[in-house]
Every structure is written in structure tokens, then in C-alpha cells.
């Protein structure tokens, strides 16, 4: 087997797959993790860059609003980076050698004496139909499947994706009389030329009633599919407003979509949902919503950093003075757990430091963080994930006055827990383990989607994210949120939402992520069908 080690001075031409980041190969991902430089283009999922967080990310894609590099400049960039000793991953949408000009890049590297390797990827003509419920071969319908570029050199042509003009350079090498006889065709880069493509096929004898489909942004949450016949497809695609990037598939297999449409029939497919969160939190909510088909736009609102003042933690964990009262450590968020884990590690301590103490937490996610990161089973996890309930639970146990409570939490936190425990006679120490601050701005993709009225839901999982999100949106936040449904995780978050003159559409029954997702699901999506069928 080829080694998965990327050597300095080498370029790996890696297929990123068609859009769904999960469709990159294992080797592609391993090489990405080692890269110093990632040169990527428009169709490679930007989510994959997370696997190379410290590498230099160079976008060389061609999109209308950005200056783009010519192919020669891209080749030169790869050579330059490799020659300066970088481990270079050239991440290309789909497969690097299928209409991706990867062949030209490899030739240039070879000529410059740069070692390279190629990691194939799942190409769009297979993946996009698959996600639209169309198998590209089937024993009953076709025993061949042909990949064709709709972007021919026949005449001066403006690429719809790149808006660059390709001058006429010789005749087409497509022999339509042959192609029209084949049972299953996939066209890349052909949305704008669909009228010409379908006309040529009919002219050369293909049955105008042949089933045909165009799949835009295949395998992504933005996937849209237009099903028609060879005769009606061009018009139907135009009416549906489908543009690049899209694959057109022509053949009887298209009919199988009627029974095999699995991806677009997931319950939240077609719904764009904003998940507000802190920058560092791994978002369980996003994962769950995506699994149900939603298009999730993450909106980090706060950044979390450890409190630089370690004196209180040192006093608790590193002092030789032993506690007089039995201790209860209280974690109110997974961030608190994470920073305590990091603190213990950096002081060469471990879970044994907490041995003999009681551990109480707010919320299932916090409880899980205690299990995962501290290897401790929390003693107290109240049913409802709010400070009041934790206070009640602790007080009901009847030993508050005999315990020393240590709260390990954010610098700014609601005082209720401290107050209630003190009122009940407890000794309480409130330690700010981490600080939070507002991010400079919301992601551009999110602001664009709001402006285009494409957002269906915003989910809020805490009061502070409500406040932060709204302050990041600015003064005319209400205008920006017109028509957007709001999902709130619980009563306190709801209060905060109302204080801004907004009303949640759903409030989750229990204050946890599973219940929040359930309430969005139950509300019903009310979405329009994603399949466009022309009138006969
Ligand atoms: N190397 C790529 C193809 C690059 S050419 C591959 O193997 O898939 C660019 C064309 O690929 C687009 O114009 C479109 O026709 C197709 N394409 C790429 N990603 C796509 C996607 N997610 N959905 C539909 N078509 C896609």
C-alpha cells in the first residue's frame, strides 16, 4: 500500500469529493492533516479545511466576486510552495482527474521535477445522482455510463461558474451521433448549454421522452433536483432557477428516483437553521440537525478563553492545606470542564485530584464532558438544566450547611446558584474559570443568507447567545429576523428572547439539545417540495 505520509516538497493532488465533506477518502484526509499548505478551489468543501487547521489555506477557485488565478498561475503556485519545502495538498472538487485540470497540474509538476501523488475522489457525476436517488447503472436499464463535459470548445463560451471566456479553439470532439445512442449520459458544466445539448441529442435520434434530471449542489444541504424529460429539461431547469454547479443525467435510471429518493426526503431537508454557539464548542446541535437533513449555518457569537488568573484554582488544587469541609465541585458548562481538564494536565494532575469530592453539573452535555474529559461519573445531574433546579436538588439533600461548594464556571454567570446555596447555609466559592468575549462579527455566509431571506430557523441554547447574537446583528435586528422562526431551549432563554421583543416559535420541552431538535421537528417543516416537475 502507498504510504499516507506527505513528505516536504511534495504535492498531493487530492480529490475532495463532491461537496459532502464526509465523502473525502481516508488517505485524502490523512494527507490533509499533514499539509503545510492547502491550495483549494470553489467546489472543494471548505469544511475540509478544519482537518488542516494550522496550514496555510490558499483559495484559487474561480468565483465571480473574487479575482481568480489562471491555470498557469496555479501551477506556478504549487511548484513554488513545493520548492520552498512545504507539504502541499492541492484539494480539488470531486476527482482531480475528472474535468478538473488535475492532469495539467500533474504535468506541470512533473516538468518542474516536483514529486507528486494523486488521491482520487468521488466524482460529481456519480455522487450527485446517488444523493438524488439515481443509481448511474442498473442491470435493467444500462450497461454503460458516459461522462461528458457540456463545456465544449465549439464556440466562444462563457463559463457560468467562472464567468471567464474561453476563446474558440478548434472544433468540438463530441460526436453527437454516437452519444445519442448511449443509454446513460452525465454532463458536467452544462447548465447554460442545456438547450443546445438536449437539442443535439434529439436531432441525432435520442427519444425526446428519455427521463432526465439536473442536480445542483449535489450531496450538500443545498442540493436541488429538477426531473423532466430530454425534451423538457432545459426549460424546466431554467424555470426552477437551477444554475452551476450541476450535473445533468439522461437515461432511464432517472425514473428510479421515484422510489429511491432518500437524501432529499429527510425531515429537515431544505431547512436552513442557524445554530448560535460559542466559537470553541463542538456543536452537538449542529450534528443532530444535519443528520436530519438541515442546512446548518453556525454562528459563533462568543470566544472562550481561560481566566489568566490562576490563583483561586491553585489554592483549590495545588495547595497542601486540606479542606475542612467535604467539597462539592459544580460545573455549569462543558467549557468549565474543558478548562479544568487543561488546568489539571498542565499541572501534571489528573482525575484523582477530585477524588472524594462530590461532582454536580447542570445539563447533560456538561455531564458528558465530565465523563469524557475527567473520566468521572457526576453524582448530581438534575432533570432540568437550570441553576435553580440544581440549587433545589442540592438543598433537598439536606447537607448544604456541611459542605464547601466550589463553582467552576464563567466569569459572568447568573448569581442565583451562589445566593441560594448561601441562604441555605452553605459555604460557596465562585471561581471564574473562563472568560467569554464577543466575536468581532457574524460569518458573512450567515449575513448573506439572512439578507436573502433564506433562513428558516434560529436556535438559541442560552441567554447569553441571544444577547450576543442580537448585538452582533445590530440595531435593525428585528427587520433582519422577519419571517425567521425562533427555537428556544428553555424558559430562561425564552425570557431573554422576549426582552428583545421577539417571540420563540417553539420552546423545547426539556432544556436539552435532543428535546430542542424534537420541538423543531414536531413544528413541521412546511417546506416546498425540492423536486420540480414541469407541466406536461
Ligand atoms: N473534478 C470534478 C469536476 C470539476 S468540473 C469532479 O470530479 O466532480 C466542475 C463541474 O462539476 C461543475 O460545473 C458541475 O457540473 C460538476 N459538479 C461538481 N460538484 C458538483 C456538485 N456538488 N453537484 C453537482 N455538480 C457538481
Amino acid at each position: 500500500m502507498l504510504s499516507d505520509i506527505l513528505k516536504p516538497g511534495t504535492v498531493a493532488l487530492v480529490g475532495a469529493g463532491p461537496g459532502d465533506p464526509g465523502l473525502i477518502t481516508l488517505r485524502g484526509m490523512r494527507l490533509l492533516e499533514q499539509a503545510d499548505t492547502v491550495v483549494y478551489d470553489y467546489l472543494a468543501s471548505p469544511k475540509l479545511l478544519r482537518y488542516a487547521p494550522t496550514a496555510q489555506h490558499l483559495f484559487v477557485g474561480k468565483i465571480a466576486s473574487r479575482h481568480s488565478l489562471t491555470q498557469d498561475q496555479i501551477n506556478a503556485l504549487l511548484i513554488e510552495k513545493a520548492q520552498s519545502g512545504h507539504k502541499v495538498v492541492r484539494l480539488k472538487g470531486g476527482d482531480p482527474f475528472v474535468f478538473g485540470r488535475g492532469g495539467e497540474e500533474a504535468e506541470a509538476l512533473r516538468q518542474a521535477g516536483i514529486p507528486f501523488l494523486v488521491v482520487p475522489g468521488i466524482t460529481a457525476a456519480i455522487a450527485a445522482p446517488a444523493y438524488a436517488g439515481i443509481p448511474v447503472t442498473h442491470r435493467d436499464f444500462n450497461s454503460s455510463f458516459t461522462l461528458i463535459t457540456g463545456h465544449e470548445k465549439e464556440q466562444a463560451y462563457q463559463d457560468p461558474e467562472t464567468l471567464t471566456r474561453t476563446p474558440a479553439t478548434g472544433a468540438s470532439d463530441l460526436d453527437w451521433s454516437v452519444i445519442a445512442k448511449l443509454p446513460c449520459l452525465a454532463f458536467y458544466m452544462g447548465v447554460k448549454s442545456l438547450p443546445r445539448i438536449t437539442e443535439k441529442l434529439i436531432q441525432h435520434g435520442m427519444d425526446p421522452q428519455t427521463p432526465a434530471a439536473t442536480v445542483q449542489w449535489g450531496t450538500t444541504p443545498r442540493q436541488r433536483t429538477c426531473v423532466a424529460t430530454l425534451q423538457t429539461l432545459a426549460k424546466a431547469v431554467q424555470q426552477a432557477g437551477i444554475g452551476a454547479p450541476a450535473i445533468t443525467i439522461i437515461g432511464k435510471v432517472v425514473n428510479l428516483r421515484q422510489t429511491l429518493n432518500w437524501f432529499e426526503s429527510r425531515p429537515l431537508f431544505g431547512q436552513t437553521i442557524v445554530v448560535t454557539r460559542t466559537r470553541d464548542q463542538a456543536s452537538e446541535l449542529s450534528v443532530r440537525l444535519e443528520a436530519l437533513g438541515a442546512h446548518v449555518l453556525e454562528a459563533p457569537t462568543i470566544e472562550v478563553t481561560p481566566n489568566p488568573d490562576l490563583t483561586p484554582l491553585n489554592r483549590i488544587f495545588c495547595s497542601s492545606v486540606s479542606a475542612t469541609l467535604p467539597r462539592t465541585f459544580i460545573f455549569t458548562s462543558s467549557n468549565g470542564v474543558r478548562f479544568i481538564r487543561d488546568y489539571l494536565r498542565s499541572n501534571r494532575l489528573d482525575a484523582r485530584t477530585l477524588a472524594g469530592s462530590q461532582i454536580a453539573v447542570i445539563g447533560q452535555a456538561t455531564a458528558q464532558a465530565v465523563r469524557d474529559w475527567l473520566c468521572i461519573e457526576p453524582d448530581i445531574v438534575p432533570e432540568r438544566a437550570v441553576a435553580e433546579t440544581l440549587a433545589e436538588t442540592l438543598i433537598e439533600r439536606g447537607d448544604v450547611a456541611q459542605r464547601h461548594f466550589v463553582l467552576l464556571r464563567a466569569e459572568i454567570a447568573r448569581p442565583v446558584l451562589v445566593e441560594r446555596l448561601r441562604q441555605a447555609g452553605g459555604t460557596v466559592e465562585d471561581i471564574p474559570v473562563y472568560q467569554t468575549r464577543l466575536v468581532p462579527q457574524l460569518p458573512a455566509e450567515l449575513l448573506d443568507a439572512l439578507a436573502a431571506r433564506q433562513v428558516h430557523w434560529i436556535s438559541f441554547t442560552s441567554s447569553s447567545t441571544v444577547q450576543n447574537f442580537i448585538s452582533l446583528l445590530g440595531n435593525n435586528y428585528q427587520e433582519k429576523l422577519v419571517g425567521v422562526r425562533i427555537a428556544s431551549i428553555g424558559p430562561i432563554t425564552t425570557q431573554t428572547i422576549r426582552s428583545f421583543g421577539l417571540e420563540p416559535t417553539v420552546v423545547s420541552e426539556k432544556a436539552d439539545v435532543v428535546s430542542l431538535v424534537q420541538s423543531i421537528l414536531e413544528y413541521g417543516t412546511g417546506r416546498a417540495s425540492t423536486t420540480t416537475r414541469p407541466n406536461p
Side-chain angles (χ1 to χ4, degrees):
M1 199 175 81
L2 203 68
S3 148
D4 283 343
I5 293 174
L6 186 57
K7 296 208 182 94
T10 304
V11 177
L13 293 166
V14 174
D20 177 345
L23 293 179
I24 192 173
T25 60
L26 204 51
R27 170 162 303 140
M29 200 176 84
R30 285 187 184 142
L31 296 177
L32 200 52
E33 283 167 350
Q34 299 163 55
D36 306 314
T37 300
V38 181
V39 180
Y40 68 106
D41 55 28
Y42 177 49
L43 291 169
S45 169
K47 287 194 171 169
L48 288 171
L49 297 174
R50 288 183 191 165
Y51 294 107
T54 55
Q56 191 179 19
H57 301 158
L58 300 173
F59 178 78
V60 296
K62 297 159 186 167
I63 51 174
S65 56
R66 294 202 225 179
H67 173 73
S68 63
L69 299 188
T70 64
Q71 189 60 50
D72 285 343
Q73 288 170 322
I74 295 173
N75 298 350
L77 177 69
L78 295 175
I79 292 166
E80 179 212 311
K81 290 291 170 189
Q83 277 172 344
S84 62
H86 286 213
K87 303 174 195 169
V88 184
V89 163
R90 170 68 172 119
L91 194 61
K92 297 174 75 71
D95 179 273
F97 282 176
V98 178
F99 303 129
R101 306 189 74 169
E104 291 162 56
E105 292 175 12
E107 282 176 320
L109 293 168
R110 174 65 88 220
Q111 222 171 19
I114 307 281
F116 69 90
L117 68 146
V118 182
V119 184
I122 303 181
T123 193
I126 292 173
Y131 273 51
I134 303 169
V136 291
T137 75
H138 190 288
R139 289 211 320 169
D140 294 341
F141 304 113
N142 60 324
S143 47
S144 76
F145 166 59
T146 308
L147 310 190
I148 304 167
T149 169
H151 176 171
E152 283 186 84
K153 291 182 178 176
E154 219 168 28
Q155 47 189 288
Y157 172 82
Q158 185 176 21
D159 188 302
E161 257 173 44
T162 66
L163 301 180
T164 50
R165 286 199 163 268
T166 312
T169 49
S172 156
D173 61 355
L174 293 183
D175 183 341
W176 291 99
S177 65
V178 175
I179 294 173
K181 293 193 184 68
L182 295 167
C184 186
L185 310 173
F187 285 91
Y188 290 74
M189 295 176 278
V191 187
K192 281 274 155 60
S193 7
L194 265 184
R196 185 174 53 85
I197 291 170
T198 51
E199 194 185 294
K200 290 257 187 204
L201 291 172
I202 294 172
Q203 260 174 24
H204 286 84
M206 189 180 262
D207 180 357
Q209 296 309 315
T210 310
T214 297
V215 187
Q216 183 187 24
W217 284 118
T219 78
T220 74
R222 297 156 77 184
Q223 175 170 312
R224 290 180 69 205
T225 305
C226 177
V227 180
T229 64
L230 182 58
Q231 192 160 35
T232 57
L233 185 71
K235 201 157 168 224
V237 163
Q238 196 212 350
Q239 278 172 354
I242 285 182
I247 285 286
T248 291
I249 178 152
I250 302 169
K252 290 195 180 120
V253 282
V254 169
N255 282 340
L256 291 165
R257 171 173 163 86
Q258 287 165 21
T259 39
L260 302 184
N261 181 12
W262 60 278
F263 182 71
E264 294 169 25
S265 57
R266 291 167 308 150
L268 293 179
F269 187 79
Q271 297 284 300
T272 299
I273 304 182
V274 173
V275 170
T276 51
R277 58 174 187 87
T278 60
R279 173 160 282 173
D280 305 315
Q281 251 164 15
S283 180
E284 190 200 344
L285 182 56
S286 303
V287 171
R288 284 180 185 271
L289 291 170
E290 273 172 358
L292 292 164
H295 179 204
V296 172
L297 293 176
E298 292 204 324
T301 57
I302 43 181
E303 292 172 321
V304 183
T305 48
N307 185 353
D309 180 10
L310 296 174
T311 328
L313 286 182
N314 291 342
R315 195 174 60 242
I316 298 275
F317 294 118
C318 294
S319 105
S320 52
V321 186
S322 57
T324 42
L325 291 173
R327 274 185 183 142
T328 301
F329 288 106
I330 301 179
F331 291 101
T332 59
S333 77
S334 53
N335 282 321
V337 184
R338 187 158 54 90
F339 289 121
I340 290 300
R341 175 201 61 184
D342 294 348
Y343 170 86
L344 292 176
R345 269 193 196 157
S346 59
N347 287 286
R348 293 180 175 268
L349 298 170
D350 58 33
R352 285 171 295 183
T353 308
L354 303 174
S357 303
Q358 195 178 51
I359 308 280
V361 307
I362 296 184
Q364 288 302 333
T366 314
Q368 199 52 44
V370 170
R371 288 181 200 112
D372 291 347
W373 297 336
L374 299 178
C375 295
I376 292 175
E377 182 59 34
D379 303 288
I380 302 165
V381 188
E383 181 85 347
R384 278 163 45 87
V386 288
E388 284 82 352
T389 315
L390 178 61
E392 272 165 39
T393 313
L394 291 169
I395 293 165
E396 274 165 18
R397 297 170 74 95
D399 61 348
V400 168
Q402 288 87 51
R403 299 200 76 89
H404 180 94
F405 294 91
V406 182
L407 271 67
L408 300 166
R409 61 180 194 170
E411 192 178 42
I412 305 162
R414 296 196 309 129
V416 52
L417 194 53
V418 178
E419 286 166 6
R420 298 256 168 111
L421 291 173
R422 285 201 180 132
Q423 274 161 13
T427 319
V428 185
E429 200 168 350
D430 195 1
I431 301 185
V433 176
Y434 61 97
Q435 301 168 321
T436 55
R437 61 167 183 246
L438 209 57
V439 297
Q441 62 199 29
L442 290 167
E445 193 193 3
L446 166 63
L447 294 174
D448 291 348
L450 275 175
R453 303 277 174 224
Q454 284 167 347
V455 173
H456 300 90
W457 287 94
I458 295 190
S459 58
F460 289 114
T461 49
S462 73
S463 287
S464 64
T465 47
V466 178
Q467 281 151 356
N468 295 332
F469 185 76
I470 287 178
S471 83
L472 286 164
L473 273 186
N475 285 339
N476 54 345
Y477 67 90
Q478 273 177 314
E479 212 287 300
K480 291 182 179 154
L481 296 177
V482 168
V484 181
R485 296 181 204 127
I486 296 176
S488 161
I489 198 159
I492 293 167
T493 306
T494 298
Q495 262 179 27
T496 312
I497 293 170
R498 291 202 175 122
S499 73
F500 286 101
L502 300 166
E503 185 58 33
T505 313
V506 298
V507 180
S508 101
E509 205 166 298
K510 283 200 278 174
D512 62 37
V513 163
V514 176
S515 171
L516 182 62
V517 171
Q518 193 56 29
S519 60
I520 293 176
L521 259 183
E522 278 168 10
Y523 180 82
T525 57
R527 71 191 147 93
S529 162
T530 53
T531 298
T532 316
R533 281 183 180 279
N535 296 325

